[in-house]
Amino acid sequence: MGSSFGKIFNVTTFGESHGTALGVVIDGCPAGLSLSQEDIQPYLDRRKPGQSKYVTKRAESDAVEILSGTFEGVTTGTPIAMAVYNTDQHSGDYTALKDVFRPGHADFGFYAKYGHRDHRGGGRSSGRETLARVCAGAVAAKLLKEFGIEVCAYTKSIGPVVIEKHELSEAANNPFYMPDKEAAVRAMEYLEYEMGKNDSVGGIVECRITGAFAGLGDPVFDKLDANLAKAIMSIGAVKGFEIGDGFAAAEAAGSFNNDAFVMKDGRVSKETNHAGGILGGISDGDTIIFRAAFKPTPSIAREQKTVTVKGEDTALSIHGRHDPVIVPRAVVVVECMAAIVVCDALLTNATSRLSYLKNIYG
Amino acid sequence: MGSSFGKIFNVTTFGESHGTALGVVIDGCPAGLSLSQEDIQPYLDRRKPGQSKYVTKRAESDAVEILSGTFEGVTTGTPIAMAVYNTDQHSGDYTALKDVFRPGHADFGFYAKYGHRDHRGGGRSSGRETLARVCAGAVAAKLLKEFGIEVCAYTKSIGPVVIEKHELSEAANNPFYMPDKEAAVRAMEYLEYEMGKNDSVGGIVECRITGAFAGLGDPVFDKLDANLAKAIMSIGAVKGFEIGDGFAAAEAAGSFNNDAFVMKDGRVSKETNHAGGILGGISDGDTIIFRAAFKPTPSIAREQKTVTVKGEDTALSIHGRHDPVIVPRAVVVVECMAAIVVCDALLTNATSRLSYLKNIYG
Amino acid sequence: MGSSFGKIFNVTTFGESHGTALGVVIDGCPAGLSLSQEDIQPYLDRRKPGQSKYVTKRAESDAVEILSGTFEGVTTGTPIAMAVYNTDQHSGDYTALKDVFRPGHADFGFYAKYGHRDHRGGGRSSGRETLARVCAGAVAAKLLKEFGIEVCAYTKSIGPVVIEKHELSEAANNPFYMPDKEAAVRAMEYLEYEMGKNDSVGGIVECRITGAFAGLGDPVFDKLDANLAKAIMSIGAVKGFEIGDGFAAAEAAGSFNNDAFVMKDGRVSKETNHAGGILGGISDGDTIIFRAAFKPTPSIAREQKTVTVKGEDTALSIHGRHDPVIVPRAVVVVECMAAIVVCDALLTNATSRLSYLKNIYG
Amino acid sequence: MGSSFGKIFNVTTFGESHGTALGVVIDGCPAGLSLSQEDIQPYLDRRKPGQSKYVTKRAESDAVEILSGTFEGVTTGTPIAMAVYNTDQHSGDYTALKDVFRPGHADFGFYAKYGHRDHRGGGRSSGRETLARVCAGAVAAKLLKEFGIEVCAYTKSIGPVVIEKHELSEAANNPFYMPDKEAAVRAMEYLEYEMGKNDSVGGIVECRITGAFAGLGDPVFDKLDANLAKAIMSIGAVKGFEIGDGFAAAEAAGSFNNDAFVMKDGRVSKETNHAGGILGGISDGDTIIFRAAFKPTPSIAREQKTVTVKGEDTALSIHGRHDPVIVPRAVVVVECMAAIVVCDALLTNATSRLSYLKNIYG
């Protein structure tokens, strides 16, 4: 259960890291959107492993196949199914893990929940699961672009190394997707140091959504930031989410935290953006800014204490092809989940006013 | 839209701050739970205003009426509807606000979304909306107690004043629900200072869920922490959510952040709890710990710049009965939303194994 | 569970026949619809008992109160809650039924499901539950009228007496809502005959939806007729549903059953309407016609065999205020459920095309 | 939209008749069910075309591939994805249909809804879509068998030819799946006669569900028969649904239609089964019996009037590989949809009582 997300733009994912295929069905994508494999693959390539020495060496080709939902290069309004077949599965790598619960992983939870587990690389709880999210997010992002909405994520920090610049064009030039060349160098040094100790690191991804007009999101439970929080927290390894000033707002005074409204170029605008573009759960027309905290990769070669499925204390060193930091590859996943949320808000909002319906039905 | 929450334990709320009534319908509460008005009212009383000089002086009686779903003091399995009628509505207080968008409030977003707004105290976006959440949460908490699960929230910080002790019995003794007597004194001094400047403050609520056994939550989108994040972020004024070490985990090394599994009293246990009781979205049997960051109350008497609905720049001072800090009254709301999430996870989990069904159907 | 219906125009009902109140929350009704108690009450009055000697003598006032969701006579886009308080509850009438399962009723099913039952008039399974459906349907019907869509139901047959005319204006003139004066007289004779034997009768309600343009409904599971079928079959006492020629189509040849498309007044039209206005689950622009078969009222004064909750064979005669035929009062319920379905299809359809979204967002 | 069905046992289908693949994702199947391709294929084979001269000659191999959700032959609790690749696609057959709306088909509705259509064999509205339902239904049926519940459908009538016997073992011996050898011969004669006129025929499928204990289904909207009605009416070509005595009940008296409860072998039983095993939407422990009316195949070689996409009157003869009667191949589809509904009711019912949860969680 729990593999579907979104009210109208409804995404259902499937697949295990070492099963036959992973994929996604998007039900509710409007008809008339130009779409082909070429729109999806670049997003998948951004999360592809093996691109630098700081990410896993697994040579996943991760080629997406569109199984349904388009005709002559355009979406038909029917479900868009996409699949990525698993090809480079070294299940053998995981035999040693068969009988132990890896610290920091979902192994024990799955075992407790289902009475068994798929020990091959985490099965459903593997990071490979995010492949399906990226496929869906690429479609969402394409649809948002039709309305001038762009979602852009990047690495804000690696361990204690925080960016000081926001040169977004720089992000693609370094292996950390940091929009600050110097910070990327410092991040590399920090990571090398921790890798030398057979250890791993975490970091923070920041995401900006531009072009989102005011009025997206629903009051009460389906607030735009509540849905973003769920979407982002549902990515494995995320331990925190904040929007706008986030936790810092808890220490601020109201007179500082409130963003004054001002007229600018004939439209309602804000002098500051402490809110991060969302007030009372509804977009205010400003840039939406949020952050996600990723924990360090739990799979480390360093020896750790743990227990076996039989309930015996033991020790464990995890070898194999693991990312010493997951953050750079997670940037596109954050971007894609955010795109799905905003896309869904855009669609549901179309039903919120009688006058909108009259625009459509005349 | 967006006024329902939960897959099985499904909560639908309704009502505006100055309408006839606010309330909730819970569909999916199991039959056989002893339940009466006395189980709900104490929760409502905890969020009642007028209890100290640090919260609004509105004399809301907020008496809940159970409209359906129980018979002879026990839940029947049919929808439990509860309503709280609005009695102390000073709509007149809001006339001055009719034509302006209050900074830090949802006014502008509602106007942009729906083409109009209910200016009387925020309407649906008012904090009064949380009444309905508390009614539902009280039922969820009662059900959880049947399984030894307890949800307990308290104030961790008010502005920059952070607790240093966790004496939970102390929380009810001070107006801030802080489990640290000295911190509460310092919080009071800080708040008085800001109130003297016609300003407001925020803070952090922390929540602990004990007794939650391993296996609750679902992989992928309905991770237990993802649902908690949505539930908590959907409370007005919350700008951040983190579980376990949260944002601090992003700076830690994997060897520190991983919690070693150890056998203790014959069951799988953890030496530390950096994860906050949830791994891969599924409870690990440890205490679940999360935090929510609340921004300072946006309604302040201090003059602020803003614009009118006609698009003219103006200035605004908000007088009337507003909390200078919302955090103490929000504690029970956090607790209730958390209870709803865990209760729903408990119910959905009952369908996750064939062997569970055989336990039931024999 | 199962008390919510509709994807966007989402209706959640609550209440038992002898509880405090019955009601409904509509979440997802667009903002901007003029709405007041006066729009709802006439629909409720149509299902009110006590209007002729052929329906129960219970003097239910059934006055609806709107608790939320409107401001200054217009919907705000937030949940519309409505309640009807129970006033004429003769719970005493049901004491004799406390320990037996009434044949033809849900008593045994509820007992088997929940391990107990509310014996007072059926509780949640009472026909009074349809009050809440009618409140919601009245809102749906009002919204549909904005688009020229009208839903009109009437009695097609009472027992073996079938109408031969369709003079819809006549329906309101006779106690059976039959659009055929002579048939109504024959129905009365038939009913009097069965009542003389302490027996009850059933009948068929037919419903026509005019003005529904082509394109409503979704392929596969949410076909417009599939959702209508669910909505109608969910009304207590309905045992069959058919659209267009329905069961008769199973005996026809394809060349007869197919409706030829022809151009008429510049738009695609059909020469016949065997399909009943829906093809492949999507409206074809023609009048939507369906029928619902209602079984005879199960509460009869005639003695019947049954068993007690303790598992003893016994006999039972049900006295009290029961309709000898439910069909006339069910007409408005059928109409309301159909309105809810079409309204929901109208709203979801607004998200089905990229070009529609561009109509809205420019 | 509308391609998902079921609350817990949630089925999402995808695919077009002439796209790359059709398939289904089941989210919510409990862990621990033994499952392999061999459990699914026999169901698919039953709907396979080319088995007699009364069904289409398309040589669809329709081999199912399980993409996820099982490990070592057992379900894991994660989504079960299955796909059937399209291999025998004669898209060319449909070129002649590109610019016309076929009478009796969804072509015009799709065009009106989405502003375009996939003319290749109906695309999403093709009967091939039922492949995905059958894959899901086979899993549901397997799960139901664990609890002694069996779903069995057969042909009750072909055109005017109605069975007079219920020898279920006979059904597999004739091309019509009729449990009456003589009726099958008469059906054959009737069909040959209509085929000689280039015409097609319809019929009725009846379904019996045995072993379903009392208590399945939910009050109000998710009544077991309401969900069955939706499931069955969502199968293309179905125009009517009835349970138990169905439409005949509308003509009966209450004293006849009510089923007397009697004790039998120590359990509550019924003397008759006019209700068809469901009372007030909840199973009563008796055999569930319902019927579905299928219209005649709309694709006929006989010339029909229709219009073009450009709005011109024209005439059309549909050649190619079409079933002169769809009923025999639809039997397994009815069975599978019914299995999905009952399976979902079984799962949701597990959350309906506090005592059930205590059975599980101790």
Side-chain angles (χ1 to χ4, degrees):
Chain A
M1 220 182 305
S3 292
S4 291
F5 186 85
K7 191 172 185 67
I8 298 288
F9 191 88
N10 187 252
V11 168
T12 301
T13 72
F14 62 88
E16 290 83 42
S17 58
H18 291 69
T20 302
L22 297 107
V24 64
V25 182
I26 305 170
D27 195 24
C29 183
L33 179 70
S34 153
L35 187 76
S36 72
Q37 196 264 0
E38 282 70 42
D39 294 306
I40 318 293
Q41 198 61 47
Y43 283 80
L44 280 180
D45 292 346
R46 282 174 59 197
R47 77 166 285 294
K48 194 162 67 173
Q51 302 186 111
S52 81
K53 65 174 170 173
Y54 306 117
V55 292
T56 168
K57 300 300 174 294
R58 292 192 304 274
E60 299 168 2
S61 65
D62 293 347
V64 66
E65 187 179 11
I66 299 179
L67 302 180
S68 69
T70 64
F71 181 51
E72 300 175 342
V74 176
T75 60
T76 60
T78 59
I80 302 167
M82 293 177 273
V84 174
Y85 281 77
N86 287 319
T87 49
D88 182 46
Q89 313 157 24
H90 292 213
S91 294
D93 286 7
Y94 296 96
T95 310
L97 302 174
K98 193 176 173 190
D99 298 319
V100 293
F101 299 125
R102 292 170 299 166
H105 277 280
D107 300 351
F108 174 60
F110 268 69
Y111 187 80
K113 183 176 197 74
Y114 297 119
H116 75 93
R117 62 184 252 255
D118 178 350
H119 62 272
R120 303 164 304 164
R124 185 70 175 143
S125 72
S126 161
R128 258 186 89 65
E129 171 266 324
T130 59
L131 265 179
R133 302 173 184 240
V134 170
C135 292
V139 178
K142 180 121 204 244
L143 195 144
L144 290 178
K145 270 175 205 149
E146 296 278 331
F147 299 93
I149 303 173
E150 303 258 359
V151 182
C152 176
Y154 47 85
T155 300
K156 186 180 177 67
S157 67
I158 293 289
V161 181
V162 187
I163 56 169
E164 287 161 12
K165 297 179 195 161
H166 283 87
E167 292 163 353
L168 293 182
S169 59
E170 168 59 28
N173 295 336
N174 64 69
F176 298 106
Y177 277 93
M178 285 179 129
D180 177 337
K181 199 191 241 180
E182 291 75 27
V185 172
R186 293 198 310 277
M188 186 177 65
E189 289 164 358
Y190 172 71
L191 181 58
E192 297 267 6
Y193 172 75
E194 294 293 333
M195 287 171 74
K197 296 190 292 178
N198 282 327
D199 218 328
S200 64
V201 310
I204 294 175
V205 173
E206 188 166 79
C207 184
R208 298 184 176 217
I209 305 167
T210 54
F213 36 83
L216 301 180
D218 278 291
V220 188
F221 299 120
D222 284 344
K223 288 186 163 79
L224 188 56
D225 41 356
N227 280 342
L228 282 169
K230 172 168 175 166
I232 300 304
M233 289 292 301
S234 78
I235 303 170
V238 176
K239 302 301 284 183
F241 173 90
E242 60 177 11
I243 185 146
D245 285 6
F247 277 85
E251 295 189 39
S255 60
F256 174 83
N257 189 254
N258 281 350
D259 301 309
F261 286 114
V262 289
M263 294 307 296
K264 198 170 152 185
D265 303 333
R267 53 189 280 277
V268 176
S269 186
K270 285 157 49 195
E271 276 197 335
T272 51
N273 191 14
H274 297 292
I278 299 179
L279 280 168
I282 299 179
S283 63
D284 63 17
D286 213 331
T287 298
I288 296 170
I289 306 175
F290 68 82
R291 281 170 295 284
F294 284 80
K295 70 178 185 181
T297 314
S299 291
I300 53 176
R302 226 165 152 166
E303 189 176 281
Q304 306 174 79
K305 284 200 278 186
T306 192
V307 303
T308 68
V309 293
K310 291 183 181 155
E312 298 155 333
D313 287 301
T314 185
L316 172 72
S317 296
I318 301 174
H319 299 288
R321 303 165 300 171
H322 300 288
D323 299 88
V325 62
I326 200 69
V327 176
R329 292 180 61 205
V331 165
V332 70
V333 181
V334 167
E335 209 170 290
C336 282
M337 289 307 298
I340 290 168
V341 170
V342 177
C343 183
D344 197 38
L346 190 90
L347 288 165
T348 54
N349 188 58
T351 68
S352 63
R353 283 201 212 184
L354 185 58
S355 61
Y356 286 169
L357 299 172
K358 295 205 166 172
N359 285 350
I360 293 172
Y361 299 128
Chain B
M1 219 183 307
S3 292
S4 292
F5 186 85
K7 191 171 186 67
I8 298 288
F9 192 87
N10 187 252
V11 168
T12 301
T13 72
F14 62 88
E16 290 83 42
S17 57
H18 290 70
T20 303
L22 296 108
V24 65
V25 183
I26 306 171
D27 195 23
C29 183
L33 179 70
S34 154
L35 186 76
S36 73
Q37 197 264 0
E38 283 68 43
D39 294 306
I40 318 293
Q41 197 62 48
Y43 283 80
L44 280 180
D45 292 346
R46 281 174 60 197
R47 77 165 287 292
K48 194 161 70 174
Q51 302 188 110
S52 81
K53 65 174 170 174
Y54 306 118
V55 293
T56 168
K57 300 301 174 294
R58 291 192 305 273
E60 299 168 3
S61 65
D62 292 347
V64 66
E65 186 178 12
I66 298 179
L67 303 180
S68 68
T70 64
F71 181 52
E72 299 176 343
V74 176
T75 60
T76 60
T78 60
I80 302 166
M82 293 177 273
V84 175
Y85 281 76
N86 287 319
T87 50
D88 182 46
Q89 312 158 25
H90 292 213
S91 293
D93 286 7
Y94 296 96
T95 310
L97 302 173
K98 193 176 173 190
D99 298 319
V100 294
F101 298 124
R102 291 170 300 165
H105 277 281
D107 300 352
F108 174 60
F110 268 69
Y111 188 80
K113 183 176 197 72
Y114 296 119
H116 75 93
R117 60 185 254 254
D118 178 351
H119 63 272
R120 303 163 306 164
R124 185 70 175 143
S125 71
S126 162
R128 258 186 92 64
E129 170 265 323
T130 59
L131 266 179
R133 301 173 184 240
V134 170
C135 292
V139 178
K142 181 121 205 244
L143 195 143
L144 290 178
K145 271 174 206 149
E146 296 278 332
F147 299 93
I149 303 173
E150 303 257 0
V151 182
C152 176
Y154 48 84
T155 300
K156 185 179 177 69
S157 67
I158 294 287
V161 181
V162 186
I163 56 169
E164 286 161 12
K165 299 178 195 163
H166 283 87
E167 293 163 351
L168 293 181
S169 59
E170 168 59 29
N173 295 337
N174 64 70
F176 299 106
Y177 277 93
M178 284 180 130
D180 177 339
K181 198 191 243 180
E182 290 75 27
V185 172
R186 293 198 310 276
M188 186 177 65
E189 290 164 358
Y190 172 71
L191 182 58
E192 297 268 7
Y193 173 76
E194 293 293 333
M195 286 171 75
K197 296 189 293 177
N198 282 327
D199 217 328
S200 64
V201 311
I204 294 175
V205 173
E206 189 166 79
C207 185
R208 297 183 176 217
I209 305 167
T210 53
F213 36 82
L216 301 179
D218 278 292
V220 189
F221 299 120
D222 284 345
K223 288 185 162 79
L224 188 55
D225 41 357
N227 281 342
L228 282 169
K230 173 169 174 164
I232 300 303
M233 289 292 301
S234 79
I235 303 169
V238 176
K239 303 300 284 183
F241 173 91
E242 59 177 11
I243 185 145
D245 285 5
F247 276 85
E251 295 189 39
S255 61
F256 173 84
N257 189 254
N258 282 351
D259 301 311
F261 286 114
V262 290
M263 293 308 296
K264 198 170 153 187
D265 303 333
R267 53 188 280 278
V268 176
S269 186
K270 286 158 47 197
E271 276 197 335
T272 51
N273 190 14
H274 298 293
I278 300 179
L279 280 169
I282 299 178
S283 63
D284 64 17
D286 213 331
T287 298
I288 296 170
I289 305 175
F290 68 82
R291 281 169 295 284
F294 284 80
K295 70 177 186 181
T297 314
S299 291
I300 53 176
R302 223 165 153 168
E303 189 176 282
Q304 305 174 78
K305 284 200 277 186
T306 191
V307 302
T308 67
V309 293
K310 291 184 181 154
E312 298 155 333
D313 287 303
T314 185
L316 172 73
S317 297
I318 301 174
H319 299 287
R321 303 165 301 171
H322 301 287
D323 299 270
V325 63
I326 200 70
V327 175
R329 293 179 61 206
V331 165
V332 69
V333 181
V334 166
E335 210 169 289
C336 283
M337 289 307 299
I340 291 169
V341 170
V342 177
C343 183
D344 197 39
L346 190 90
L347 288 165
T348 54
N349 188 59
T351 68
S352 63
R353 283 201 211 184
L354 185 57
S355 61
Y356 286 169
L357 300 173
K358 296 206 166 172
N359 285 351
I360 294 172
Y361 300 128
Chain C
M1 220 183 306
S3 292
S4 292
F5 186 85
K7 191 172 185 69
I8 299 287
F9 192 87
N10 187 252
V11 168
T12 301
T13 73
F14 63 87
E16 289 84 42
S17 58
H18 291 69
T20 302
L22 297 107
V24 64
V25 182
I26 306 171
D27 195 24
C29 183
L33 180 70
S34 153
L35 187 76
S36 71
Q37 195 265 0
E38 284 69 42
D39 294 306
I40 317 294
Q41 197 61 48
Y43 282 80
L44 280 180
D45 291 346
R46 283 174 59 196
R47 78 167 284 294
K48 195 163 67 174
Q51 302 188 109
S52 81
K53 64 174 169 174
Y54 306 118
V55 294
T56 169
K57 299 301 174 295
R58 291 191 304 274
E60 298 169 4
S61 64
D62 292 347
V64 67
E65 185 179 12
I66 299 180
L67 302 180
S68 68
T70 63
F71 180 52
E72 299 176 342
V74 175
T75 60
T76 60
T78 59
I80 302 167
M82 292 177 274
V84 175
Y85 282 77
N86 287 320
T87 51
D88 183 46
Q89 313 158 25
H90 292 212
S91 293
D93 286 7
Y94 296 95
T95 310
L97 301 173
K98 192 176 174 189
D99 298 319
V100 295
F101 299 125
R102 292 169 299 166
H105 278 281
D107 301 352
F108 174 60
F110 268 69
Y111 187 79
K113 184 177 195 73
Y114 297 118
H116 75 94
R117 62 184 253 253
D118 177 352
H119 63 271
R120 303 163 306 164
R124 185 69 177 145
S125 71
S126 162
R128 257 186 90 64
E129 170 265 322
T130 59
L131 266 178
R133 301 173 185 241
V134 170
C135 292
V139 178
K142 180 122 206 243
L143 194 143
L144 290 178
K145 270 174 207 150
E146 296 278 333
F147 300 92
I149 302 173
E150 302 258 0
V151 182
C152 177
Y154 47 85
T155 300
K156 186 179 177 69
S157 67
I158 294 288
V161 181
V162 186
I163 56 170
E164 286 161 11
K165 298 179 195 161
H166 283 87
E167 293 162 351
L168 293 181
S169 59
E170 169 58 29
N173 296 336
N174 65 70
F176 299 106
Y177 278 94
M178 284 181 130
D180 177 338
K181 200 190 241 179
E182 290 76 26
V185 172
R186 293 199 309 279
M188 186 178 63
E189 291 165 358
Y190 171 71
L191 182 59
E192 297 267 7
Y193 173 75
E194 294 292 334
M195 286 170 73
K197 296 190 293 178
N198 281 328
D199 218 328
S200 63
V201 311
I204 294 175
V205 173
E206 188 165 80
C207 184
R208 297 183 178 218
I209 305 167
T210 53
F213 36 83
L216 301 179
D218 278 291
V220 191
F221 300 119
D222 284 344
K223 287 185 164 82
L224 189 56
D225 41 356
N227 281 342
L228 282 168
K230 172 168 177 166
I232 300 305
M233 291 291 301
S234 78
I235 303 169
V238 176
K239 302 301 285 183
F241 173 90
E242 60 177 12
I243 185 145
D245 285 5
F247 276 85
E251 295 189 38
S255 60
F256 174 84
N257 188 254
N258 282 349
D259 301 311
F261 286 113
V262 289
M263 293 307 296
K264 199 169 152 186
D265 302 333
R267 52 188 280 277
V268 176
S269 186
K270 285 158 48 196
E271 277 197 335
T272 51
N273 190 14
H274 297 292
I278 299 179
L279 279 169
I282 299 179
S283 63
D284 64 16
D286 213 331
T287 299
I288 296 168
I289 306 175
F290 68 82
R291 280 169 297 285
F294 284 80
K295 70 177 186 182
T297 313
S299 290
I300 53 177
R302 228 168 150 166
E303 190 176 280
Q304 307 174 79
K305 285 201 278 186
T306 192
V307 302
T308 67
V309 293
K310 291 183 180 156
E312 299 155 333
D313 288 302
T314 185
L316 172 72
S317 297
I318 301 175
H319 298 288
R321 304 165 300 172
H322 300 287
D323 299 88
V325 63
I326 199 68
V327 176
R329 292 180 60 205
V331 165
V332 69
V333 182
V334 168
E335 209 169 289
C336 282
M337 287 309 297
I340 290 168
V341 170
V342 178
C343 183
D344 197 38
L346 190 89
L347 287 166
T348 54
N349 188 58
T351 68
S352 64
R353 282 202 212 182
L354 185 57
S355 61
Y356 286 169
L357 298 174
K358 295 205 167 172
N359 285 350
I360 293 172
Y361 299 129
Chain D
M1 221 183 308
S3 292
S4 291
F5 186 85
K7 192 172 184 67
I8 298 287
F9 192 87
N10 187 253
V11 168
T12 300
T13 72
F14 63 87
E16 289 84 41
S17 59
H18 290 69
T20 303
L22 297 107
V24 64
V25 183
I26 306 171
D27 195 24
C29 183
L33 180 70
S34 153
L35 186 77
S36 72
Q37 196 264 0
E38 283 69 43
D39 294 307
I40 318 293
Q41 197 61 47
Y43 282 81
L44 280 181
D45 291 346
R46 282 175 60 197
R47 78 166 285 293
K48 195 161 69 174
Q51 302 188 109
S52 83
K53 65 174 170 174
Y54 305 117
V55 293
T56 168
K57 300 299 175 292
R58 289 192 306 275
E60 300 168 3
S61 63
D62 293 348
V64 65
E65 185 179 13
I66 299 180
L67 302 180
S68 68
T70 64
F71 180 51
E72 299 176 343
V74 175
T75 60
T76 58
T78 60
I80 303 167
M82 293 177 273
V84 174
Y85 281 77
N86 287 319
T87 51
D88 184 46
Q89 313 157 26
H90 293 212
S91 292
D93 286 8
Y94 295 96
T95 310
L97 301 173
K98 192 175 173 191
D99 298 319
V100 294
F101 299 124
R102 292 169 299 166
H105 278 281
D107 300 353
F108 174 60
F110 268 69
Y111 187 79
K113 184 176 196 73
Y114 297 118
H116 74 95
R117 61 185 254 252
D118 177 351
H119 62 272
R120 302 162 307 163
R124 186 71 177 144
S125 71
S126 161
R128 257 185 92 63
E129 171 265 324
T130 58
L131 266 179
R133 301 172 184 242
V134 170
C135 293
V139 178
K142 181 124 205 242
L143 195 143
L144 290 177
K145 270 174 206 150
E146 297 277 332
F147 299 92
I149 302 173
E150 302 258 359
V151 182
C152 176
Y154 47 85
T155 300
K156 185 180 178 68
S157 67
I158 294 287
V161 181
V162 186
I163 57 169
E164 286 161 12
K165 299 179 193 161
H166 283 88
E167 293 162 351
L168 293 182
S169 59
E170 169 58 29
N173 296 335
N174 65 70
F176 299 106
Y177 277 93
M178 284 180 130
D180 177 337
K181 199 191 242 179
E182 290 76 26
V185 172
R186 293 199 309 277
M188 187 178 64
E189 291 164 359
Y190 172 71
L191 181 59
E192 297 267 6
Y193 173 75
E194 293 292 335
M195 285 170 73
K197 296 190 292 178
N198 282 328
D199 218 329
S200 64
V201 311
I204 294 175
V205 173
E206 188 165 80
C207 183
R208 297 182 176 218
I209 304 166
T210 53
F213 37 81
L216 301 180
D218 278 291
V220 190
F221 299 119
D222 284 343
K223 287 185 162 81
L224 188 56
D225 41 357
N227 281 341
L228 282 168
K230 172 168 175 165
I232 300 304
M233 290 291 301
S234 77
I235 303 170
V238 176
K239 303 301 284 184
F241 173 90
E242 60 178 11
I243 184 145
D245 285 4
F247 276 85
E251 294 190 39
S255 61
F256 174 83
N257 189 254
N258 282 350
D259 301 310
F261 287 113
V262 290
M263 293 307 297
K264 199 170 152 186
D265 303 333
R267 52 188 280 277
V268 177
S269 187
K270 286 159 46 195
E271 276 198 335
T272 51
N273 190 13
H274 298 291
I278 299 179
L279 279 169
I282 299 178
S283 63
D284 64 16
D286 212 331
T287 298
I288 296 169
I289 306 175
F290 69 82
R291 281 169 296 284
F294 284 80
K295 70 177 187 182
T297 314
S299 292
I300 53 176
R302 227 167 151 168
E303 188 176 282
Q304 305 174 79
K305 283 201 279 186
T306 192
V307 302
T308 67
V309 292
K310 291 183 181 157
E312 298 156 334
D313 287 302
T314 185
L316 172 73
S317 297
I318 301 174
H319 298 289
R321 305 164 301 170
H322 301 286
D323 299 88
V325 62
I326 199 69
V327 175
R329 292 180 61 204
V331 165
V332 70
V333 181
V334 167
E335 209 169 289
C336 282
M337 288 307 299
I340 290 169
V341 169
V342 178
C343 183
D344 196 38
L346 190 90
L347 288 166
T348 54
N349 188 59
T351 68
S352 63
R353 283 202 211 184
L354 185 57
S355 61
Y356 285 170
L357 298 173
K358 294 204 167 172
N359 285 351
I360 293 172
Y361 299 129

